[in-house]
Amino acid sequence: MTLTATKFTPEVMLSAPRRMPGVPNPSGKLALYAVSTYSFQDHKKSSQIRVLDIESAASHALVEDQSASEPVWLSDEEVLYLKGGDNGTTTLIVRHVKSEETEPYEAGCIKAPISNVKVKKLPNGAIAFACSALTTPDGEMFNPKTEKKPHSTAKVYTSLFVRHWDTWNTENTNSIYYGLLEQKDGKYSLRDHKLTNALAGTQLSSPVPPFGGTGDFDIGPEGLVFVAKDPELDPAIYTKTDLYFIPLKSFTESSPPFPRIIKTPGLEGYSNSPVFSPCGRKVAFTRMRSNQYESDKPRLLLVPDIRNPDKAEEFYATADGAGGWDSRPESILWSHDGSKLYVTAEHHARTLIFELPSTPSRTTSLPTALQTPDGSVTSLHLLAAADDSSDDLFVTTTSLIDNSCYSIVHPTSSPKIISSASKQGKSFGLSRPSIDTITFPGAGGAYDVHALVVRPSDFSKEKNSNKKKKYPLCMLIHGGPQGAWLDAWSTRWNPAVFAEQGYVVVCPNPTGSTGYGMALQDGIRGEWGGRPYNDLVRCFEWVVGNMPEVDGSRAVALGASYGGYMINWIQGQPLGRKFKALVCHDGVFSTLNQWSSEELFFPIHDFEGTLYDNREAYEKWDPARFLSEWATPQLIIHSELDYRLPITEGLAAFNVLQARTVPSKLLMFPDENHWVLKPENSLVWHREVLGWINKYSGIEHEQRLAEQVDELRVE
């Protein structure tokens, strides 16, 4: 499944194969991954499960089936995957990697959809199996295909959190199920053909929606650990999720013990990424301090003995509670001997792997970053080692030019690239020299701001030294607002797509951005249109004054979510007159409408209180205060299923622009949420967005002239 193109276009990006992170088998000789491709000719998606030979980098298709998903290793040469049925059932299929030698077989059948599969080989040779499924109030798996259809579509609510992300909430919630896969006569089968609900009768729900998955729980020889929202707190107001432990001896218990909470005094926010140690007695995980700040700094913690959950130790703890490591740890991997942890965290527009001792008392210095390929780490796994003192990691990365790269990373040597889906961007006509970074003084000159720069693939500093050729500026403003532009691949906001149209793309990480320390990130609180806006003004001025290849008189700016808010804010400010066109995707029209969102803890934190107790804070940075200044042509994009920022925010902005006779256009998707994910919709999105900015920047005129020249040459 390969794709080669001389020019990187939206069609190329959206139809290119999308590889999932690779997972090595127990011996470390093979890696398993899923890949999908979309054809705009056939208007169909195709999917494969593939096996990669790590030494030779050759791969072959193991399964080619649209209904097959979530492959996991059962042994060195056997793979289990899920196969969905038309009636909502899920079959567990086992297949040998040498598929031509043996036929796949069924290891069990579940009468409902399941997902988030994890397996763990137990000391007795059996395999513990865990997954998640939507569950009814009586603790049974929910199958929408067999559900009795009501005569009315009415929904009645008497509490907060009536909808989330893109779904109206119901009584059904996520739950974790477990079972045992036993081998008989050379074949695996699910014992008693059933799974047990680990959370039945607990009022707990895991994984945590909307984005929770396998990272929300783990299997060990002692049982299950998982994170779940505190059932005593309103999920619309508080972010608190706790870590729980369920002791299991055989994974065949029909009535599991009640979950035991892991106590973390002083830390009351999100818990994430629980991982058992190799010995199965310890658990490492992350937890935030604030229970109303979704982007608070995660702290790394250790449970020294899971059988004694009353004790958890914090790494880099400080007396003031701020924590000594000013980074945001995410995923966690134990070393073979359990003496070290490998932890991913953002750092200056990349996601890196950091190494540290696995015992908090031994962390006398800050973690060191391992050498990894260009870009950002998305997944890491241990490879088999001759002895427990050596750790080789199988790492998946992406970058601004490469959508998937598998490599072997060692703590003390340079990484070895095994396989790149796009040959390090060459298949797309992209290359590393087109990527650059700049640093400029932020608002007030008290700090520096970092930005990524992506130039067209045909740009040459040598050829451009005469300064005759200038490229219009395309400024991309990220969402979050506690987020960042990373050296990482995206099919929704890919800077290279814009650069290949003929722009110099600048992606600033202003106040509020992650990966540059908590002072810069937290500086946006109560400052939505303040420091971040001034950073962007400084960015524009620095680029125009220091990058001679940039034409600031033909600049355009685009943003989504908080970036969409900033577009609307810029529209009413002096910077708005510097741009020829603006694009606002799912943006905030008025901050006074933030309580139409679902996660109310977000505005409560960022605007320093509730709408009714601190209304002036919401009014201060309200883009709707400056509607009389709106004058720059603007494209508005919004979707009906966006419950984070309801579509009325987009409609209001569009109506104002139209009423003021400002050139404007509305693009609406009735079947998308905060993100545009469906390939055909995404293609329309790109065509409309590029068409809009190209029209006002003059690139459309240049493209037409070039086409006319080509036609004359042909004649």
Side-chain angles (χ1 to χ4, degrees), residues 211-406:
F211 306 120
T214 55
D216 280 8
F217 65 95
D218 198 25
I219 309 172
E222 299 283 338
L224 288 169
V225 287
F226 65 94
V227 298
K229 284 271 193 179
D230 187 334
E232 301 300 320
L233 296 179
D234 196 306
I237 302 293
Y238 296 98
T239 61
K240 186 171 184 278
T241 60
D242 293 300
L243 179 66
Y244 296 86
F245 168 57
I246 299 178
L248 297 171
K249 293 182 179 180
S250 64
F251 285 85
T252 60
E253 292 88 343
S254 58
S255 298
F258 199 86
R260 301 175 62 183
I261 194 170
I262 309 298
K263 298 179 181 178
T264 58
L267 301 177
E268 299 294 328
Y270 277 124
S271 298
N272 274 307
S273 307
V275 183
F276 276 103
S277 64
C279 70
R281 293 283 178 85
K282 303 176 181 180
V283 173
F285 67 107
T286 66
R287 182 144 203 193
M288 298 179 182
R289 179 165 59 171
S290 172
N291 64 7
Q292 285 191 314
Y293 185 16
E294 66 173 354
S295 297
D296 197 7
K297 180 176 74 172
R299 318 303 174 88
L300 190 62
L301 290 102
L302 174 75
V303 182
D305 188 345
I306 194 61
R307 294 171 299 181
N308 180 22
D310 292 339
K311 182 181 180 183
E313 302 173 0
E314 182 181 348
F315 291 79
Y316 304 107
T318 56
D320 62 1
W325 186 24
D326 199 21
S327 291
R328 301 169 50 84
E330 298 173 0
S331 56
I332 304 167
L333 178 69
W334 289 80
S335 64
H336 279 293
D337 62 4
S339 66
K340 292 177 289 187
L341 296 178
Y342 299 104
V343 180
T344 63
E346 283 184 31
H347 181 74
H348 291 198
R350 296 182 64 195
T351 300
L352 303 177
I353 302 172
F354 293 86
E355 177 187 345
L356 66 151
S358 63
T359 303
S361 61
R362 294 177 55 214
T363 51
T364 56
S365 60
L366 293 178
T368 55
L370 276 57
Q371 294 186 59
T372 55
D374 291 329
S376 296
V377 174
T378 60
S379 172
L380 66 164
H381 298 271
L382 280 174
L383 286 171
D387 60 86
D388 286 346
S389 63
S390 176
D391 293 327
D392 280 333
L393 310 181
F394 186 87
V395 174
T396 302
T397 56
T398 75
S399 72
L400 285 167
I401 62 167
D402 192 9
N403 62 357
S404 172
C405 178
Y406 301 150

Side-chain angles (χ1 to χ4, degrees), residues 435-506:
I435 311 301
D436 199 359
T437 62
I438 59 172
T439 302
F440 55 90
Y447 53 91
D448 288 336
V449 176
H450 181 255
L452 293 167
V453 177
V454 182
R455 295 182 175 88
S457 59
D458 59 0
F459 175 85
S460 170
K461 289 185 178 180
E462 291 74 20
K463 293 180 181 179
N464 209 60
S465 60
N466 58 16
K467 301 182 181 179
K468 290 183 180 180
K469 173 68 174 177
K470 281 183 172 285
Y471 300 83
L473 167 65
C474 176
M475 181 183 286
L476 301 182
I477 306 172
H478 70 67
Q482 293 87 3
W485 290 113
L486 299 178
D487 187 354
W489 190 260
S490 172
T491 55
R492 292 186 291 114
W493 286 89
N494 192 312
V497 164
F498 298 91
E500 290 303 275
Q501 294 292 307
Y503 296 93
V504 169
V505 182
V506 176

Side-chain angles (χ1 to χ4, degrees), residues 528-530 533 565-577 582 588-592 616-632 634 652-653 656-657 660 662:
W528 263 39
Y533 169 76
Y565 158 86
M566 183 53 72
I567 291 295
N568 288 339
W569 180 260
I570 285 172
Q571 178 69 274
Q573 306 299 319
L575 183 58
R577 309 293 77 80
L582 301 171
V588 176
F589 171 73
S590 173
T591 49
L592 296 178
E616 58 272 19
Y618 290 76
E619 292 177 334
K620 183 177 182 179
W621 305 117
D622 187 357
R625 287 178 55 206
F626 304 95
L627 297 178
S628 61
E629 303 297 322
W630 285 28
T632 301
Q634 182 166 328
V656 167
L657 289 163
R660 288 182 54 78
V662 177

Side-chain angles (χ1 to χ4, degrees), residues 630-675:
W630 285 28
T632 301
Q634 182 166 328
L635 169 64
I636 302 289
I637 307 169
H638 230 102
S639 299
E640 287 274 16
L641 299 182
D642 186 357
Y643 299 158
R644 186 137 299 180
L645 283 167
I647 194 170
T648 48
E649 295 293 282
L651 289 170
F654 177 68
N655 290 345
V656 167
L657 289 163
Q658 286 285 303
R660 288 182 54 78
T661 67
V662 177
S664 49
K665 181 185 287 190
L666 174 67
L667 172 61
M668 190 279 290
F669 296 99
D671 55 349
E672 299 283 6
N673 53 38
H674 202 52
W675 303 332

Side-chain angles (χ1 to χ4, degrees), residues 128-158:
F129 176 94
C131 66
S132 68
L134 201 58
T135 305
T136 63
D138 60 5
E140 299 297 322
M141 284 188 182
F142 175 73
N143 186 342
K145 296 289 186 179
T146 58
E147 178 191 22
K148 184 178 180 181
K149 302 299 186 244
H151 296 293
S152 169
T153 58
K155 300 179 186 298
V156 178
Y157 297 92
T158 57

Side-chain angles (χ1 to χ4, degrees), residues 74 78 92-95 103-107 186-189:
L74 292 182
E78 291 170 295
L92 311 183
I93 303 293
V94 178
R95 188 159 200 156
E103 290 293 323
Y105 62 89
E106 181 180 317
K187 291 186 176 182
Y188 288 96
S189 63

Side-chain angles (χ1 to χ4, degrees), residues 130-202:
C131 66
S132 68
L134 201 58
T135 305
T136 63
D138 60 5
E140 299 297 322
M141 284 188 182
F142 175 73
N143 186 342
K145 296 289 186 179
T146 58
E147 178 191 22
K148 184 178 180 181
K149 302 299 186 244
H151 296 293
S152 169
T153 58
K155 300 179 186 298
V156 178
Y157 297 92
T158 57
S159 63
L160 285 173
F161 218 49
V162 299
R163 61 184 189 176
H164 196 198
W165 191 246
D166 58 6
T167 305
W168 286 87
N169 288 331
T170 69
E171 292 182 322
N172 303 322
T173 58
N174 288 338
S175 194
I176 299 171
Y177 290 78
Y178 65 84
L180 195 69
L181 291 168
E182 297 177 307
Q183 197 171 28
K184 297 179 180 179
D185 300 323
K187 291 186 176 182
Y188 288 96
S189 63
L190 183 64
R191 185 169 179 175
D192 297 329
H193 306 286
K194 71 173 185 177
L195 296 174
T196 300
N197 183 356
L199 309 185
T202 65

